PDB file of all heavy atoms in Angstrom:
ATOM      1  N   HIS A 329     -14.119   5.683  -6.559  1.00  0.00           N
ATOM      2  CA  HIS A 329     -14.558   5.722  -7.956  1.00  0.00           C
ATOM      3  C   HIS A 329     -13.493   6.286  -8.899  1.00  0.00           C
ATOM      4  O   HIS A 329     -13.321   5.796  -9.998  1.00  0.00           O
ATOM      5  CB  HIS A 329     -15.876   6.498  -8.074  1.00  0.00           C
ATOM      6  CG  HIS A 329     -17.039   5.663  -7.669  1.00  0.00           C
ATOM      7  ND1 HIS A 329     -17.513   5.624  -6.379  1.00  0.00           N
ATOM      8  CD2 HIS A 329     -17.778   4.768  -8.361  1.00  0.00           C
ATOM      9  CE1 HIS A 329     -18.495   4.757  -6.301  1.00  0.00           C
ATOM     10  NE2 HIS A 329     -18.682   4.228  -7.493  1.00  0.00           N
ATOM     11  N   VAL A 330     -12.773   7.286  -8.433  1.00  0.00           N
ATOM     12  CA  VAL A 330     -11.715   7.874  -9.275  1.00  0.00           C
ATOM     13  C   VAL A 330     -10.562   6.890  -9.452  1.00  0.00           C
ATOM     14  O   VAL A 330      -9.883   6.879 -10.474  1.00  0.00           O
ATOM     15  CB  VAL A 330     -11.222   9.207  -8.647  1.00  0.00           C
ATOM     16  CG1 VAL A 330      -9.951   9.702  -9.323  1.00  0.00           C
ATOM     17  CG2 VAL A 330     -12.306  10.260  -8.727  1.00  0.00           C
ATOM     18  N   ASN A 331     -10.367   6.034  -8.450  1.00  0.00           N
ATOM     19  CA  ASN A 331      -9.226   5.099  -8.482  1.00  0.00           C
ATOM     20  C   ASN A 331      -9.662   3.644  -8.643  1.00  0.00           C
ATOM     21  O   ASN A 331      -9.026   2.753  -8.085  1.00  0.00           O
ATOM     22  CB  ASN A 331      -8.405   5.260  -7.201  1.00  0.00           C
ATOM     23  CG  ASN A 331      -7.799   6.639  -7.111  1.00  0.00           C
ATOM     24  OD1 ASN A 331      -6.831   6.959  -7.793  1.00  0.00           O
ATOM     25  ND2 ASN A 331      -8.396   7.478  -6.284  1.00  0.00           N
ATOM     26  N   LYS A 332     -10.732   3.434  -9.421  1.00  0.00           N
ATOM     27  CA  LYS A 332     -11.265   2.087  -9.613  1.00  0.00           C
ATOM     28  C   LYS A 332     -10.175   1.064  -9.930  1.00  0.00           C
ATOM     29  O   LYS A 332     -10.212  -0.073  -9.478  1.00  0.00           O
ATOM     30  CB  LYS A 332     -12.259   2.080 -10.778  1.00  0.00           C
ATOM     31  CG  LYS A 332     -13.642   2.493 -10.420  1.00  0.00           C
ATOM     32  CD  LYS A 332     -14.503   2.428 -11.649  1.00  0.00           C
ATOM     33  CE  LYS A 332     -15.816   3.142 -11.395  1.00  0.00           C
ATOM     34  NZ  LYS A 332     -16.611   3.277 -12.595  1.00  0.00           N
ATOM     35  N   ALA A 333      -9.212   1.506 -10.730  1.00  0.00           N
ATOM     36  CA  ALA A 333      -8.184   0.581 -11.204  1.00  0.00           C
ATOM     37  C   ALA A 333      -7.368  -0.026 -10.061  1.00  0.00           C
ATOM     38  O   ALA A 333      -6.804  -1.109 -10.204  1.00  0.00           O
ATOM     39  CB  ALA A 333      -7.257   1.306 -12.168  1.00  0.00           C
ATOM     40  N   LEU A 334      -7.332   0.657  -8.941  1.00  0.00           N
ATOM     41  CA  LEU A 334      -6.554   0.151  -7.807  1.00  0.00           C
ATOM     42  C   LEU A 334      -7.246  -1.002  -7.095  1.00  0.00           C
ATOM     43  O   LEU A 334      -6.641  -1.709  -6.299  1.00  0.00           O
ATOM     44  CB  LEU A 334      -6.324   1.260  -6.773  1.00  0.00           C
ATOM     45  CG  LEU A 334      -5.410   2.402  -7.163  1.00  0.00           C
ATOM     46  CD1 LEU A 334      -5.420   3.450  -6.062  1.00  0.00           C
ATOM     47  CD2 LEU A 334      -3.999   1.898  -7.387  1.00  0.00           C
ATOM     48  N   PHE A 335      -8.559  -1.142  -7.370  1.00  0.00           N
ATOM     49  CA  PHE A 335      -9.333  -2.169  -6.673  1.00  0.00           C
ATOM     50  C   PHE A 335      -9.678  -3.297  -7.635  1.00  0.00           C
ATOM     51  O   PHE A 335      -9.950  -3.066  -8.805  1.00  0.00           O
ATOM     52  CB  PHE A 335     -10.620  -1.560  -6.105  1.00  0.00           C
ATOM     53  CG  PHE A 335     -10.338  -0.445  -5.129  1.00  0.00           C
ATOM     54  CD1 PHE A 335     -10.217   0.869  -5.566  1.00  0.00           C
ATOM     55  CD2 PHE A 335     -10.133  -0.712  -3.789  1.00  0.00           C
ATOM     56  CE1 PHE A 335      -9.929   1.892  -4.685  1.00  0.00           C
ATOM     57  CE2 PHE A 335      -9.841   0.297  -2.899  1.00  0.00           C
ATOM     58  CZ  PHE A 335      -9.732   1.603  -3.346  1.00  0.00           C
ATOM     59  N   ASN A 336      -9.705  -4.519  -7.139  1.00  0.00           N
ATOM     60  CA  ASN A 336      -9.993  -5.661  -8.007  1.00  0.00           C
ATOM     61  C   ASN A 336     -11.472  -5.786  -8.316  1.00  0.00           C
ATOM     62  O   ASN A 336     -11.862  -6.249  -9.372  1.00  0.00           O
ATOM     63  CB  ASN A 336      -9.506  -6.953  -7.345  1.00  0.00           C
ATOM     64  CG  ASN A 336      -7.992  -6.965  -7.304  1.00  0.00           C
ATOM     65  OD1 ASN A 336      -7.353  -6.442  -8.210  1.00  0.00           O
ATOM     66  ND2 ASN A 336      -7.426  -7.538  -6.261  1.00  0.00           N
ATOM     67  N   GLU A 337     -12.315  -5.323  -7.382  1.00  0.00           N
ATOM     68  CA  GLU A 337     -13.749  -5.495  -7.548  1.00  0.00           C
ATOM     69  C   GLU A 337     -14.319  -4.387  -8.431  1.00  0.00           C
ATOM     70  O   GLU A 337     -13.746  -3.314  -8.541  1.00  0.00           O
ATOM     71  CB  GLU A 337     -14.435  -5.402  -6.175  1.00  0.00           C
ATOM     72  CG  GLU A 337     -13.952  -6.440  -5.178  1.00  0.00           C
ATOM     73  CD  GLU A 337     -14.328  -7.851  -5.566  1.00  0.00           C
ATOM     74  OE1 GLU A 337     -15.408  -8.027  -6.166  1.00  0.00           O
ATOM     75  OE2 GLU A 337     -13.546  -8.757  -5.280  1.00  0.00           O
ATOM     76  N   ASN A 338     -15.515  -4.652  -9.023  1.00  0.00           N
ATOM     77  CA  ASN A 338     -16.237  -3.605  -9.743  1.00  0.00           C
ATOM     78  C   ASN A 338     -16.796  -2.617  -8.737  1.00  0.00           C
ATOM     79  O   ASN A 338     -17.376  -3.003  -7.754  1.00  0.00           O
ATOM     80  CB  ASN A 338     -17.415  -4.213 -10.518  1.00  0.00           C
ATOM     81  CG  ASN A 338     -16.961  -4.707 -11.864  1.00  0.00           C
ATOM     82  OD1 ASN A 338     -15.937  -4.264 -12.377  1.00  0.00           O
ATOM     83  ND2 ASN A 338     -17.705  -5.641 -12.418  1.00  0.00           N
ATOM     84  N   VAL A 339     -16.644  -1.334  -9.019  1.00  0.00           N
ATOM     85  CA  VAL A 339     -17.219  -0.333  -8.117  1.00  0.00           C
ATOM     86  C   VAL A 339     -18.105   0.611  -8.916  1.00  0.00           C
ATOM     87  O   VAL A 339     -18.028   1.816  -8.786  1.00  0.00           O
ATOM     88  CB  VAL A 339     -16.141   0.448  -7.325  1.00  0.00           C
ATOM     89  CG1 VAL A 339     -15.579  -0.398  -6.214  1.00  0.00           C
ATOM     90  CG2 VAL A 339     -15.049   0.961  -8.237  1.00  0.00           C
ATOM     91  N   ASP A 340     -18.991   0.019  -9.764  1.00  0.00           N
ATOM     92  CA  ASP A 340     -19.841   0.840 -10.614  1.00  0.00           C
ATOM     93  C   ASP A 340     -21.037   1.443  -9.874  1.00  0.00           C
ATOM     94  O   ASP A 340     -21.580   2.445 -10.279  1.00  0.00           O
ATOM     95  CB  ASP A 340     -20.320   0.047 -11.821  1.00  0.00           C
ATOM     96  CG  ASP A 340     -19.172  -0.091 -12.826  1.00  0.00           C
ATOM     97  OD1 ASP A 340     -18.297   0.793 -12.837  1.00  0.00           O
ATOM     98  OD2 ASP A 340     -19.146  -1.086 -13.564  1.00  0.00           O
ATOM     99  N   GLU A 341     -21.467   0.778  -8.797  1.00  0.00           N
ATOM    100  CA  GLU A 341     -22.600   1.300  -8.021  1.00  0.00           C
ATOM    101  C   GLU A 341     -22.198   2.627  -7.390  1.00  0.00           C
ATOM    102  O   GLU A 341     -21.241   2.686  -6.654  1.00  0.00           O
ATOM    103  CB  GLU A 341     -22.968   0.312  -6.909  1.00  0.00           C
ATOM    104  CG  GLU A 341     -23.530  -0.996  -7.401  1.00  0.00           C
ATOM    105  CD  GLU A 341     -24.949  -0.841  -7.919  1.00  0.00           C
ATOM    106  OE1 GLU A 341     -25.734  -0.183  -7.238  1.00  0.00           O
ATOM    107  OE2 GLU A 341     -25.236  -1.356  -9.015  1.00  0.00           O
TER     108      GLU A 341
END
Side-chain angles (χ1 to χ4, degrees):
H329 281 91
V330 169
N331 296 285
K332 276 180 193 172
L334 291 175
F335 300 90
N336 291 326
E337 301 293 327
N338 274 338
V339 284
D340 285 333
E341 293 287 315

